[in-house]
Amino acid sequence: MTSKFLTTSLLASALFAGLGMTPVMARQGTSTPAIDQAQRAINVRIQQGLASGKITPSEAQVLYRRDREIAARESRFKADGRVTAKDREKLRSDIEKLNAEVDRMLNNRRNDHNRR
């Protein structure tokens, strides 16, 4: 009974601590939910492309590396506690380019299969 209570207390404390951080991050201007969501969507598309054979493992490595580079740039932008409009635009541009590259790879492989 005490271990269940202790576990519940720890989970509640972690939840409240996490909730307490969110407003601070938003207030400081480091929240980038649209960018984060776009990155998650791209990662899902890469995984689906791998699973379907439309993206090769070596192509996926290149795409994942580019995604990590964007994430690292985002972290650098956030490091000073503020992501400027210019920073956000650069990240959006990078994500659009990566998304276009994923599209290109998916479509090229699809066209290669159709030619056979």
Side-chain angles (χ1 to χ4, degrees):
M1 181 73 156
T2 17
S3 69
K4 186 176 180 180
F5 176 74
L6 180 60
T7 302
T8 304
S9 297
L10 288 172
L11 288 173
S13 296
L15 175 65
F16 289 124
L19 290 175
M21 294 299 288
T22 303
V24 172
M25 286 176 56
R27 207 177 23 231
Q28 291 177 345
T30 60
S31 180
T32 53
I35 291 167
D36 298 337
Q37 182 179 7
Q39 285 178 289
R40 284 190 297 275
I42 288 171
N43 275 289
V44 167
R45 292 180 66 222
I46 295 169
Q47 290 169 2
Q48 290 171 341
L50 266 171
S52 69
K54 293 177 183 174
I55 294 177
T56 66
S58 61
E59 290 171 332
Q61 285 181 333
V62 170
L63 295 170
Y64 284 134
R65 180 182 45 79
R66 289 187 55 205
D67 182 58
R68 284 190 306 272
E69 290 168 356
I70 294 169
R73 185 174 300 113
E74 182 181 11
S75 292
R76 284 192 304 275
F77 289 158
K78 288 180 176 183
D80 66 358
R82 187 161 182 268
V83 180
T84 67
K86 185 177 179 180
D87 295 340
R88 290 174 199 276
E89 185 54 39
K90 175 63 177 152
L91 291 169
R92 275 191 291 274
S93 174
D94 290 344
I95 288 171
E96 286 173 11
K97 289 175 187 172
L98 178 56
N99 201 31
E101 184 69 13
V102 172
D103 283 343
R104 188 184 64 74
M105 287 183 182
L106 289 171
N107 289 327
N108 281 346
R109 188 75 61 221
R110 185 176 306 128
N111 291 336
D112 288 346
H113 288 301
N114 290 338
R115 288 186 196 130
R116 292 180 186 163

